[in-house]
Amino acid sequence: MEPAEKMQGRMDSPLTSKGIQQAKALSERLQDVPIQRIYSSPSRRAVHTAEIIRGKRPISIHKHEDLYEMHLGHWEGQTLSQLEKTDPDSYKRFWSDPAQYRPAEGETYQEIQQRVLRFLSYLKCNHPDDNILIVTHAVVLKVLLAHLEQREWKRLWDKPFIPGGSLTIVEVQGEQATIQLYADSLPPHN
């Protein structure tokens, strides 16, 4: 994240023009990929992204609460530099010691992991052979991938970074999940 960026969290905002461009690029990239199901965070920006990626496919978009972005409480809408000054201890734990991050309001990383793993279990039980498109948010995806990699909490924010509009592919066969592609972004169109 760049220092001037805001902590969005669950603030329900429209998709930006950059986000629309990224979703269109993903739609083009995935146009020949067979997709049986689409799940999205209920957030307006995520659903809009899913709609653009879906294109003309005759598939419903299923909103799922477990895919919401991290609830950041009073941090939502504040810049990183503001938070570093006003809440330095929590800010430091958020980035460098996620296992110890305990917000006054909002979610812990462990709570996100519980709901993401619940969703993954739901998919395995209900759609074991489907090719599924999931539209979610950076923290949710980072927590899921860290779990699949068995990455320590202290290393959660190690690279690679997950930019908006990136593509991650996870192949699940039985109980085995393999990350095939991690946060791959297309270069912007000029």
Side-chain angles (χ1 to χ4, degrees):
M1 289 188 151
E2 295 175 12
E5 289 190 23
K6 289 185 179 181
M7 296 295 268
Q8 185 77 7
R10 292 205 181 170
M11 290 178 63
D12 199 13
S13 58
L15 194 57
T16 65
S17 58
K18 180 180 179 182
I20 291 169
Q21 289 175 328
Q22 291 169 332
K24 286 179 179 177
L26 270 173
S27 180
E28 289 174 22
R29 185 174 185 181
L30 297 172
Q31 68 185 352
D32 296 327
V33 175
I35 297 171
Q36 286 78 38
R37 303 253 182 238
I38 300 175
Y39 283 93
S40 175
S41 158
S43 113
R44 184 171 32 155
R45 63 191 186 271
V47 172
H48 191 187
T49 299
E51 290 168 347
I52 293 169
I53 296 170
R54 173 183 63 189
K56 295 182 180 183
R57 291 181 173 101
I59 305 171
S60 297
I61 296 170
H62 304 279
K63 299 174 194 173
H64 203 288
E65 299 281 323
D66 287 342
L67 296 174
Y68 257 129
E69 180 59 292
M70 182 178 205
H71 182 334
L72 295 168
H74 71 277
W75 279 21
E76 293 182 5
Q78 294 191 53
T79 64
L80 298 178
S81 59
Q82 287 172 319
L83 293 171
E84 191 172 17
K85 291 175 188 166
T86 61
D87 199 356
D89 292 336
S90 287
Y91 181 85
K92 183 177 180 183
R93 281 189 297 276
F94 182 89
W95 295 109
S96 62
D97 196 2
Q100 299 306 313
Y101 173 71
R102 300 279 181 271
E105 55 185 50
E107 287 182 292
T108 65
Y109 285 100
Q110 293 86 345
E111 290 168 329
I112 295 167
Q113 184 181 57
Q114 287 174 347
R115 65 180 165 88
V116 170
L117 294 180
R118 179 176 58 225
F119 177 71
L120 190 59
S121 179
Y122 167 82
L123 291 181
K124 286 179 184 180
C125 290
N126 293 285
H127 310 295
D129 300 319
D130 288 349
N131 205 13
I132 301 169
L133 172 69
I134 299 170
V135 178
T136 191
H137 308 275
V139 176
V140 172
L141 187 56
K142 196 73 166 162
V143 168
L144 173 63
L145 295 173
H147 172 78
L148 296 177
E149 296 175 304
Q150 299 180 352
R151 186 184 287 214
E152 295 176 66
W153 282 113
K154 286 188 179 229
R155 294 187 47 239
L156 179 71
W157 289 107
D158 287 1
K159 291 182 180 181
F161 175 69
I162 299 179
S166 63
L167 178 63
T168 296
I169 300 173
V170 176
E171 183 178 343
V172 179
Q173 293 183 356
E175 293 303 311
Q176 183 68 32
T178 307
I179 301 168
Q180 302 289 329
L181 188 65
Y182 196 120
D184 188 54
S185 292
L186 292 172
H189 295 295
N190 292 331

